Amino acid sequence: MPTSVLPLSATALDRSADELAQATQRGAPHRPLVGMRLGLFCGDERSETVRCLREAAQALGAQVTMLDPARALEEGAALDEIARLLGHLYAAVACEGVPAAVMRGLAMAAAVPVLDARAVLAPASGRGTGAARRPWIAQAALLAALR
């Protein structure tokens, strides 16, 4: 199963988002993911979820690689072999637009966290989250998911 995202209280998420925004405004952005490589296994690179997750990870210092599941899974490649390879290349893998069975298979075989991108970013797309605040909420939610 994909790594479950523990629900962070709205207060804790807001506090974390505020800290990230304030650090950036002071000219000292919080970049705890520097040196981390995140594989983004997605069906559509242009989706809003993918864009939001990629931007959040990069703002936190991660290097993000877009991965095409159709190409990775072509020619009958074994899912467990792909998961092991992804585990060697990336500190975490996020999936979006990937069949649930594929995501579960990756999570079961990978030695790194496999995240459901939509679940991670759900707080950033919640009602009442304005466009200006959304990137900070996305960053806070991603950090919480990776802890």
Side-chain angles (χ1 to χ4, degrees):
M1 251 170 39
T3 301
S4 61
V5 178
L6 298 175
L8 201 59
S9 75
T11 303
L13 193 62
D14 281 337
R15 186 176 29 246
S16 180
D18 288 344
E19 290 169 2
L20 290 164
Q22 290 166 3
T24 298
Q25 290 166 354
R26 287 190 308 267
H30 188 55
R31 296 177 48 88
L33 303 184
V34 168
M36 177 188 201
R37 291 183 309 199
L38 174 71
L40 188 44
F41 211 53
C42 62
D44 180 6
E45 285 187 36
R46 297 165 297 173
S47 84
E48 180 65 18
T49 301
V50 169
R51 184 196 60 75
C52 189
L53 186 66
R54 182 180 61 239
E55 289 175 2
Q58 289 172 334
L60 293 167
Q63 176 185 349
V64 180
T65 303
M66 305 303 288
L67 304 165
D68 180 358
R71 291 190 64 206
L73 298 172
E74 67 187 11
E75 299 178 23
L79 197 55
D80 59 337
E81 291 174 12
I82 292 168
R84 280 194 292 278
L85 177 62
L86 292 173
H88 287 290
L89 296 173
Y90 303 103
V93 175
C95 299
E96 198 274 328
V98 175
V102 172
M103 202 178 331
R104 281 192 303 274
L106 288 173
M108 289 175 61
V112 298
V114 175
L115 308 171
D116 178 337
R118 288 182 189 267
V120 169
L121 295 178
S125 59
R127 59 182 167 21
T129 303
R133 185 141 175 82
R134 199 166 291 131
W136 306 115
I137 297 290
Q139 289 177 35
L142 178 59
L143 283 176
L146 291 172
R147 288 190 177 129

